[in-house]
Amino acid sequence: MKFIKVFLSIIIGLIVIIFVGVLIFLNSIKVEVTDDDLPQGIYTETGDLESISQVYLLGIVVASDADQYTLINGFMNYMILDSIRKNINPDYDPLADLDTVEADYVTYDKNFYIDYIYANLNDDNQIVVTAAFGSDSIIKVDSALNLVFDIDLDISFTNIGFTLTLVDYSLSDTALSFQVLDFIMSKLDKTEIEGQMSMGVLDLDTYTYTLSILNP
């Protein structure tokens, strides 16, 4: 009987430690993303998103060096929203105050949801794509995956475009290794994911995204 009590005490202690550890981890990756973080003008745009994004891309030819990166950031946000509506959820419209699952979430099920995907330009002229996600099925948690890309411009007589290369990524402020990403990608249908881009070429083997006027 004494052994059983000790054994149960150890089990209960381990459960408490694991539970507390999970709570600490969830708290460390917790971050709140709201509608205010979205590029407002793009998400209220009523024109054809693909056409507008291509105008942005053409603008880098005559833009200053600093403005070129800003235009690429604008292009990325148009492309992301266009890809969501064409390939994932045609009713996605988080700024419309419709208060429906279809409008408020990129994708949603009872265990997991993604509510925002958008791009920002950081101080190092890198594109940071943020995907905000969460779950409220067992323990309420909201976090965000941040993907940091270097920008390689390609402007010449034969091409106008750029390549984004993933150089860093994190869960909230917690940096993750590429070994983790490689493992995750090995379990997914990369071809299906790559095909969800409405413009450009996504390569999940090299973690690059390439866009050219010649190959939009």
Side-chain angles (χ1 to χ4, degrees), residues 175-191:
L176 300 174
S177 75
F178 274 81
Q179 289 180 327
V180 174
L181 185 60
D182 291 339
F183 175 78
I184 294 172
M185 287 300 167
S186 70
K187 305 300 180 183
L188 300 177
D189 186 343
K190 291 188 283 189
T191 301

Side-chain angles (χ1 to χ4, degrees), residues 2-94:
K2 183 177 180 180
F3 170 77
I4 295 176
K5 288 182 178 179
V6 172
F7 181 74
L8 289 176
S9 297
I10 293 173
I11 295 297
I12 292 171
L14 286 173
I15 291 174
V16 170
I17 291 172
I18 292 172
F19 181 71
V20 171
V22 169
L23 291 179
I24 292 173
F25 172 73
L26 292 177
N27 188 63
S28 71
I29 65 170
K30 184 177 180 181
V31 63
E32 183 179 8
V33 178
T34 69
D35 291 354
D36 293 337
D37 295 302
L38 294 173
Q40 304 292 306
I42 291 171
Y43 276 71
T44 55
E45 177 62 59
T46 58
D48 180 71
L49 297 177
E50 183 173 353
S51 298
I52 296 170
S53 67
Q54 291 174 352
V55 172
Y56 264 71
L57 190 61
L58 284 170
I60 68 176
V61 177
V62 296
S64 64
D65 290 346
D67 288 341
Q68 285 176 334
Y69 295 108
T70 301
L71 289 170
I72 289 174
N73 183 61
F75 166 85
M76 289 298 298
N77 277 303
Y78 277 114
M79 184 275 298
I80 288 170
L81 182 56
D82 187 60
S83 295
I84 291 172
R85 289 179 175 170
K86 285 182 177 176
N87 302 312
I88 302 175
N89 178 8
D91 299 316
Y92 183 62
D93 196 1

